[in-house]
Amino acid sequence: MKKLIAGNWKMNGSLESNAALVKALLSHSDDWTCDVALCVPAPYLSQLQNLSKASPLMFGAQDVSTHDSGAFTGEVSAGMLKDFECRYAIVGHSERRQLHLESDALVAAKAQKALASGITPVVCVGETLHEREAGLTEEVVKRQLAAVIHLNGHCISEIVLAYEPVWAIGTGKTATPEQAQHVHAVLRAQLRAASAHADRVQIVYGGSMNAANAAQLLAQPDIDGGLVGGASLKAADFLSIIAAAH
Ligand code: PEP
């Protein structure tokens, strides 16, 4: 299947730096053989919509509300994202699970809202270091994915799934290709049990993926791409990861 390399800019960027970064990326877009997307802060969606026109670059948001409209200050609805032609919305990033106390059920509801608007949710699952050391990795990721399957079983093959071990995000510590592959295979089996179309789901790895480790991770049979934080902010690094995904 075609791999997906998605950048997660987190809360970084400016009109000026975004334009320079996207221009540098697009100057190599003729070489891309994988899907490439950038998940950007909501205020920059309109800019990305313009910059990516007539190019293979896709873009998305980093979150989506479970509500359609109303008194939810600060929230952004799936309909609003659709207005800007967002292709993707990250849901359940560990930073939101941890800093905003998002539950499995809330993440599943966000995925549902995105799907209902024709936006592909990039559903993030992953264990903390404490959970890994306690031998709970499989239990945790399966529980997180089960909530999403429970609410979205009929269209679960429409999601992108990101395995992001929390201890590897922004820390410079990467899961070994074997560690990541093991969890991806567990997740693939869980998807297969839920859907006849599970093999369509891109299961991407996230957690300090960089130009040096991308090729080995992406060579694993169940690693269908990457969700890239820090390295997506530097054109040369992100382009190296894209080049490693064929
Ligand atoms: C992320 O934010 O999803 C991520 C994987 O970050 P980093 O690549 O910086 O670890």
Side-chain angles (χ1 to χ4, degrees), residues 148-162:
V148 179
I149 291 173
H150 178 67
L151 218 54
N152 301 282
H154 53 292
C155 49
I156 198 67
S157 63
E158 306 300 318
I159 72 166
V160 167
L161 182 58

Side-chain angles (χ1 to χ4, degrees), residues 63 92-93 96-98 100-104 106-107 110:
D63 188 25
H93 191 281
R96 295 207 63 87
R97 289 183 190 264
Q98 292 194 319
H100 298 266
L101 306 180
E102 293 194 0
S103 66
D104 295 340
L106 182 74
V107 172
K110 289 185 169 190

Side-chain angles (χ1 to χ4, degrees), residues 168-187:
I169 296 178
T171 58
K173 283 189 203 145
T174 317
T176 64
E178 295 72 26
Q179 281 174 325
Q181 166 56 29
H182 176 78
V183 177
H184 281 232
V186 166
L187 295 169

Side-chain angles (χ1 to χ4, degrees), residues 220-231:
Q220 301 302 309
D222 287 300
I223 301 188
D224 309 315
L227 183 54
V228 183

Side-chain angles (χ1 to χ4, degrees), residues 108-232:
K110 289 185 169 190
Q112 187 179 40
K113 274 293 173 198
L115 286 165
S117 292
I119 294 168
T120 302
V122 179
V123 176
C124 300
V125 300
E127 81 287 3
T128 62
L129 183 59
H130 178 71
E131 288 162 341
R132 174 162 281 268
E133 286 174 350
L136 296 173
T137 298
E138 288 186 30
E139 190 180 314
V140 168
V141 298
K142 283 161 99 173
R143 188 200 72 222
Q144 292 171 333
L145 178 56
V148 179
I149 291 173
H150 178 67
L151 218 54
N152 301 282
H154 53 292
C155 49
I156 198 67
S157 63
E158 306 300 318
I159 72 166
V160 167
L161 182 58
Y163 170 54
E164 297 210 307
V166 179
W167 48 271
I169 296 178
T171 58
K173 283 189 203 145
T174 317
T176 64
E178 295 72 26
Q179 281 174 325
Q181 166 56 29
H182 176 78
V183 177
H184 281 232
V186 166
L187 295 169
R188 179 82 67 200
Q190 190 177 1
L191 288 170
R192 279 189 184 137
S195 166
H197 307 295
D199 288 1
R200 274 193 217 151
V201 177
Q202 289 164 315
I203 308 181
V204 303
Y205 168 81
S208 299
M209 185 180 265
N210 58 39
N213 61 30
Q216 266 197 310
L217 286 159
L218 294 167
Q220 301 302 309
D222 287 300
I223 301 188
D224 309 315
L227 183 54
V228 183
S232 71

